[in-house]
């Protein structure tokens, strides 16, 4: 009888651990006696301020600290980096791009802590030492100053995007179906289709006027990023002022009259002339636009995580059903001549984006523990939720019969829905509590040893099997039985995977940097004006003015540097493919399941 009671208590304890995992985490945090606020400088974050909600609770319970996100995306832009750089303190925890000598400059300025002793006994160094070593070759000094992002054991030629490439032509499928699944040969053929969509769905769910396209400025860098990503429909991505095809066969000056960037600007201009572009585009940020997608006010999307992931599972408050259950949602349509760009896996780590500890950080040992946790399976599940991971086990997912499945809460909350979180997990809204770092420590398509499935929950067989609503089945029939966007595009020979590489553009001459900043300011300004030009004559005048102005500033000198760097990156891609060893150093899993 006593043995039976002990067994009962044991299983009760297991159940309690699953339901109240936050309590377990809280116990682990007791080794950190002093509560601290960690300033996180994070240019890829779309949120600024103290991290809140369920992720904040986990960080508090596990590390007895809170994260204060400092995001140039939200406030300050590049000038915020320069100001903090000059002051000698970027932050306690630093997420940063590295190109153009930024990594080397941060190290030489003494802004980053040397991490060898802090990481020497940690799993992140044991498991991913090769990738870390390669990334730190660009530091300009011996030692470890940062850890690269998106480390993977997959082939560089395997898409790291999982189920959706960087871009795809997503449309409100209910309207596209009502229009008769109109065929589109080229990008420009999308415009009359958009007009049909807007006519068929003239009002959002709350009664607001709909638009086919809506844009935002948050991510503008060397050019207007929302325009550049339409060029990615044709397999191109940027380095500086150059666009290169995924296979390296073509490089383009972005200001070429016949290039893909100018084509994208002209496409957006024509769309605006047809009343398809949200006139508030230049005034809003990413979060504002996300709310418009949530309301069904925007009818197309180039990114899955804007249209589909936000809208499809949003619950209608009137009846408690999701939009998909009501027959509404986003799915990719086919444009016959596209070849959508997709990033290949970074078997050497993505050294273009790193995480580091500031040289003046409070409690660097605790921050090293935090970084080690980010690169652990549990860290990927929880902090990687913004990149598609499933979140905390016991809250959003659980194991059944040896496979991971969503809990009832997870079905309602994932990926980023406005669903109340139980108080024991931090309360608030699920979407507001998602990790704001927006940092991928490991590749989301790598295998989680806790589940034997990819970290990206949307790839789980149990999740794909749930796509059985009427609108899901209609799209799958259109897609020839495909279950994901990547599967669909592959079947149409419409996917272009650029092999992942650890290449970092080298430090450039300060004079080039000055010219670059002057030129990109002109390019971004004129690009936005071109999209909203009054007529074609003004569009052409602005294009000519943009070209003449930057050429007068010395644009060709910057372009020469970018062309040279792009050729080096293409060569690096080829080496990454040649050097890849399946299941090689740095990985915990064999890559055979997803190759």
């Amino acid at each position: 009888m006593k043995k039976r009671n002990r067994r009962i208590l044991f299983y009760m304890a297991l159940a309690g651990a699953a339901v109240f995992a936050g309590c377990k985490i809280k116990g682990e945090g007791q080794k950190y006696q002093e509560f601290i606020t960690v300033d996180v400088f994070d240019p890829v974050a779309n949120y600024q301020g103290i991290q809140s909600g369920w992720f904040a609770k986990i960080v508090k319970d596990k590390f007895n600290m809170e994260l204060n996100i400092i995001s140039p995306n939200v406030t300050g832009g590049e000038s915020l980096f320069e100001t903090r750089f000059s002051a000698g303190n970027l932050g306690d925890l630093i997420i940063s791009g590295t190109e153009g000598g930024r990594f080397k400059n941060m190290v030489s300025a003494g802004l980053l802590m040397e991490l060898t002793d802090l990481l020497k006994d940690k799993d992140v160094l044991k498991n991913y030492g090769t990738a870390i070593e390669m990334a730190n070759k660009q530091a300009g000094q011996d030692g470890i100053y940062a850890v690269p992002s998106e480390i993977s054991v997959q082939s560089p030629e395997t898409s790291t995007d999982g189920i959706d490439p960087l871009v795809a032509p997503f449309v409100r499928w209910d309207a596209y179906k009502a229009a008769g699944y109109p065929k589109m040969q080229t990008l420009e053929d999308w415009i009359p289709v958009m007009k049909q969509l807007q006519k068929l769905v003239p009002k959002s769910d709350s009664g607001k006027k709909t638009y086919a396209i809506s844009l935002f400025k948050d991510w503008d860098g060397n050019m207007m990023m929302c325009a550049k990503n339409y060029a990615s429909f044709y397999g191109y991505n940027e380095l500086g002022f150059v666009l290169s095809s995924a296979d390296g066969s073509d490089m383009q000056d972005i200001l070429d009259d016949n290039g893909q960037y100018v084509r994208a600007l002209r496409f957006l201009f024509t769309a605006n002339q047809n009343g398809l572009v949200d006139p508030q585009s230049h005034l809003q940020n990413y979060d504002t636009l996300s709310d418009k997608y949530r309301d069904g006010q925007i009818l197309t999307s180039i990114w899955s995580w804007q249209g589909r992931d936000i809208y499809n599972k949003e619950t209608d408050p009137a009846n408690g059903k999701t939009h998909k259950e009501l027959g509404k949602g986003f799915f990719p349509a086919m444009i016959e001549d596209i070849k959508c760009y997709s990033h290949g896996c970074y078997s050497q780590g993505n050294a273009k984006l790193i995480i580091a500890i500031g040289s003046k950080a409070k409690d660097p040992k605790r921050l090293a523990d935090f970084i080690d946790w980010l690169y652990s399976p549990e860290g990927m599940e929880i902090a990687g939720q913004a990149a598609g991971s499933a979140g905390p086990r016991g809250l959003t997912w659980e194991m059944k019969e040896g496979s991971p499945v969503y809990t009832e809460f997870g079905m309602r909350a994932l990926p980023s829905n406005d669903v109340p979180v139980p108080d024991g997990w931090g309360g608030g809204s699920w979407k507001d509590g998602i990790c704001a770092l927006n940092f991928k420590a490991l590749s989301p398509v790598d295998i989680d040893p806790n589940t034997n499935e990819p970290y990206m929950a949307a790839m789980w067989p149990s999740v794909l099997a749930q796509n059985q609503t009427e609108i899901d089945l209609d799209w799958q029939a259109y897609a020839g039985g495909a279950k994901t966007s990547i599967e669909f595009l592959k079947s149409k020979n419409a996917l272009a995977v650029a092999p992942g590489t650890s290449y970092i553009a080298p430090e450039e001459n300060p004079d080039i940097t000055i010219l670059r900043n002057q030129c990109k300011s002109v390019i971004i300004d004129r690009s936005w004006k071109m999209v909203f030009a009054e007529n074609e004559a003004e569009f052409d005048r602005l294009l000519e003015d943009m070209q003449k102005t930057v050429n007068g500033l010395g644009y060709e000198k910057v372009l020469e540097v970018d062309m040279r760097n792009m050729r080096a990156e293409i060569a690096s891609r080829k080496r990454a493919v040649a050097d890849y060893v399946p299941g090689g150093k740095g990985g915990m899993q064999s890559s055979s399941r997803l190759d």
Side-chain angles (χ1 to χ4, degrees):
M1 188 69 179
K2 288 182 180 179
K3 289 183 178 179
R4 181 175 181 270
N5 287 340
R6 282 198 295 269
R7 285 198 299 270
I8 292 171
L9 289 172
F10 173 72
Y11 290 121
M12 287 177 65
L14 285 180
V19 176
F20 299 106
C23 297
K24 179 183 176 183
I25 292 172
K26 184 173 183 178
E28 292 175 1
Q30 291 176 352
K31 67 179 179 180
Y32 308 106
Q33 297 300 313
E34 179 190 359
F35 176 76
I36 61 173
T37 298
V38 177
D39 288 338
V40 185
F41 185 82
D42 188 354
V44 295
N46 296 302
Y47 168 85
Q48 180 151 293
I50 299 294
Q51 170 77 52
S52 63
W54 60 267
F55 183 71
K57 184 180 188 308
I58 289 173
V59 172
K60 169 66 167 59
D61 291 347
K62 196 168 185 66
F63 298 99
N64 197 23
M65 67 187 195
E66 65 181 2
L67 305 177
N68 176 37
I69 312 295
I70 300 166
S71 172
N73 259 349
V74 178
T75 304
E78 180 64 16
S79 62
L80 181 62
F81 173 85
E82 294 168 355
T83 299
R84 297 183 71 89
F85 185 98
S86 298
N89 187 3
L90 287 174
D92 302 309
L93 194 66
I94 299 163
I95 293 171
S96 177
T98 58
E99 293 193 287
R102 176 157 293 188
F103 185 21
K104 184 178 179 180
N105 290 340
M106 289 189 294
V107 172
S108 62
L111 297 180
L112 306 185
M113 187 170 291
E114 208 282 319
L115 304 177
T116 301
D117 288 342
L118 288 169
L119 299 181
K120 64 181 180 181
D121 296 323
K122 300 197 182 302
D123 288 341
V124 65
L125 188 59
K126 295 174 185 176
N127 294 327
Y128 308 114
T130 301
I132 293 171
E133 180 184 353
M134 290 194 67
N136 282 274
K137 287 180 179 179
Q138 304 295 327
Q141 298 181 28
D142 291 339
I144 298 173
Y145 292 89
V147 181
S149 58
E150 296 187 79
I151 303 174
S152 176
V153 299
Q154 307 294 322
S155 163
E157 295 180 291
T158 296
S159 171
T160 194
D161 296 322
I163 62 172
D164 297 299
L166 173 68
V167 294
F170 287 88
V171 299
R172 268 287 294 273
W173 197 257
D174 45 316
Y176 187 70
K177 176 183 178 181
Y181 312 102
K183 291 187 177 181
M184 299 173 283
Q185 296 295 322
T186 68
L187 177 67
E188 289 72 21
D189 293 338
W190 204 5
I191 289 176
V193 173
M194 289 180 179
K195 292 185 73 172
Q196 293 182 68
L197 302 182
Q198 205 162 302
K199 184 176 180 180
L200 288 163
V201 187
K203 299 291 183 182
S204 74
D205 295 336
S206 68
K208 296 183 176 69
K209 177 178 171 57
T210 60
Y211 293 96
I213 297 172
S214 193
L215 313 168
F216 64 101
K217 289 186 172 183
D218 298 24
W219 298 348
D220 288 351
N222 287 292
M223 65 199 83
M224 180 181 174
M225 193 53 57
C226 285
K228 189 281 301 184
N229 274 280
Y230 283 94
S232 294
F233 278 142
Y234 291 90
Y236 288 83
N237 208 10
E238 88 281 359
L239 190 159
F241 297 137
V242 176
L243 292 179
S244 171
S245 59
D247 63 2
S249 63
D250 184 38
M251 298 192 301
Q252 297 182 356
D253 170 3
I254 63 169
L255 300 188
D256 186 330
D257 285 344
N258 299 311
Q260 293 293 342
Y261 181 68
V262 173
R263 178 187 183 183
L265 290 174
R266 196 174 293 277
F267 166 78
L268 289 171
F269 159 75
T270 305
N272 186 58
Q273 291 289 297
N274 281 271
L276 300 172
V277 181
D278 180 358
Q280 298 298 308
S281 291
H282 64 295
L283 300 174
Q284 66 192 3
N285 61 19
Y286 176 85
D287 287 339
T288 304
L289 178 53
S290 294
D291 287 338
K292 290 182 176 180
Y293 273 109
R294 198 166 279 112
D295 182 42
Q297 194 178 356
I298 313 303
L299 303 177
T300 72
S301 172
I302 57 178
W303 295 302
S304 62
W305 30 262
Q306 248 189 350
R308 188 196 62 196
D309 289 356
I310 291 176
Y311 186 76
N312 288 19
K313 290 183 68 176
E314 187 76 10
T315 301
D316 189 320
N319 52 39
K321 292 186 176 182
T322 66
H323 287 139
K324 274 207 314 181
E325 290 171 333
L326 295 171
K328 301 186 293 185
F330 283 83
F331 291 88
M334 189 63 202
I335 299 175
E336 295 299 327
D337 71 340
I338 62 173
K339 211 166 180 71
C340 294
Y341 186 97
S342 181
H343 295 288
C345 287
Y346 298 95
S347 58
Q348 302 169 343
N350 180 5
K352 292 181 181 179
L353 185 69
I354 51 91
I355 189 167
I357 298 174
S359 58
K360 298 179 181 179
K362 300 182 285 286
D363 202 342
K365 290 183 179 180
R366 194 182 321 191
L367 297 185
D369 289 345
F370 180 68
I371 289 175
D372 190 48
W373 177 74
L374 290 178
Y375 285 79
S376 72
E378 183 188 66
M380 271 298 294
E381 292 161 6
I382 295 172
Q385 202 282 314
S389 297
R393 182 174 182 173
L395 177 63
T396 50
W397 66 279
E398 59 191 350
M399 294 295 289
K400 282 191 175 181
E401 298 178 356
S403 298
V405 298
Y406 286 170
T407 62
E408 182 181 347
F409 176 84
M411 291 180 188
R412 291 185 291 113
L414 293 169
S416 58
N417 295 331
D418 189 9
V419 175
V421 175
D423 290 341
W425 288 92
S429 167
W430 171 260
K431 74 177 181 68
D432 292 338
I434 290 171
C435 173
L437 297 177
N438 200 23
F439 180 79
K440 300 176 186 177
L442 306 178
S443 172
V445 303
D446 273 20
I447 302 300
D448 180 352
N450 290 338
T451 65
N452 202 34
E453 295 291 348
Y455 288 109
M456 184 178 287
M459 298 176 70
W460 294 353
S462 63
V463 174
L464 290 173
Q466 293 173 11
N467 295 328
Q468 295 292 315
T469 66
E470 184 177 340
I471 195 170
D472 279 310
L473 297 176
D474 187 77
W475 177 79
Q476 290 169 19
Y478 169 90
K483 303 294 188 196
T484 70
S485 302
I486 282 184
E487 184 183 355
F488 169 49
L489 293 168
K490 275 185 176 179
S491 72
K492 299 290 187 179
N493 194 29
L495 185 72
V497 178
T501 171
S502 61
Y503 174 81
I504 303 174
E507 181 177 10
E508 63 187 24
N509 185 295
D511 292 338
I512 293 295
T513 301
I514 292 171
L515 292 178
R516 182 184 304 281
N517 290 337
Q518 292 173 339
C519 290
K520 72 182 185 182
S521 178
V522 172
I523 291 168
I524 292 169
D525 175 73
R526 301 300 192 278
S527 294
W528 278 91
K529 288 178 178 176
M530 288 163 68
V531 170
F532 292 96
E534 186 174 346
N535 50 46
E536 190 167 358
E538 184 183 0
F539 179 95
D540 291 337
R541 180 185 62 77
L542 286 165
L543 173 59
E544 184 179 1
D545 173 67
M546 175 170 63
Q547 293 165 334
K548 285 185 176 180
T549 301
V550 297
N551 283 329
L553 292 170
Y555 175 79
E556 72 284 352
K557 296 178 182 178
V558 185
L559 184 65
E560 182 181 354
V561 171
D562 291 343
M563 286 286 187
R564 183 169 63 246
N565 289 342
M566 183 60 88
R567 284 191 289 269
E569 181 170 56
I570 292 169
S572 180
R573 290 175 185 169
K574 293 177 180 178
R575 287 196 300 273
V577 173
D579 293 344
Y580 172 67
V581 178
K585 290 182 179 181
M588 296 188 296
Q589 304 288 330
S590 167
S591 63
S592 60
R593 291 195 55 197
L594 293 176
D595 280 353

